[in-house]
Amino acid sequence: MPTFHIQLFEGRSPEKKRELVEALTRETCRVLDCDAGSVDIILVEVKREHWATGGVLWSERT
């Protein structure tokens, strides 16, 4: 069933990540009418110096 790959900046608390995956799972099950055990979510934490938008590293933004 569905697998979500989510990239986000590092530093969020385990509680916030838990809240996110619970909400995504709940809504996915509601919309797709599937079992929660079939929803996979992979969180990949990225350092700000490894992510750029518009040619500017996030670690260098003010």
Side-chain angles (χ1 to χ4, degrees):
M1 274 305 261
T3 301
F4 294 93
H5 294 260
I6 300 172
Q7 295 176 315
L8 62 161
F9 289 137
E10 65 181 356
R12 290 179 173 84
S13 69
E15 293 78 19
K16 283 296 179 187
K17 290 185 269 190
R18 186 178 304 110
E19 185 179 347
L20 175 63
V21 299
E22 287 173 353
L24 286 171
T25 300
R26 184 174 51 253
E27 286 303 299
T28 299
C29 292
R30 183 185 67 77
V31 171
L32 298 181
D33 193 28
C34 65
D35 182 64
S38 67
V39 179
D40 291 316
I41 300 172
I42 301 166
L43 301 177
V44 178
E45 293 188 292
V46 180
K47 294 180 182 237
R48 289 180 180 269
E49 61 262 24
H50 296 165
W51 194 315
T53 301
V56 179
L57 292 170
W58 277 90
S59 59
E60 296 176 353
R61 291 179 179 262
T62 55

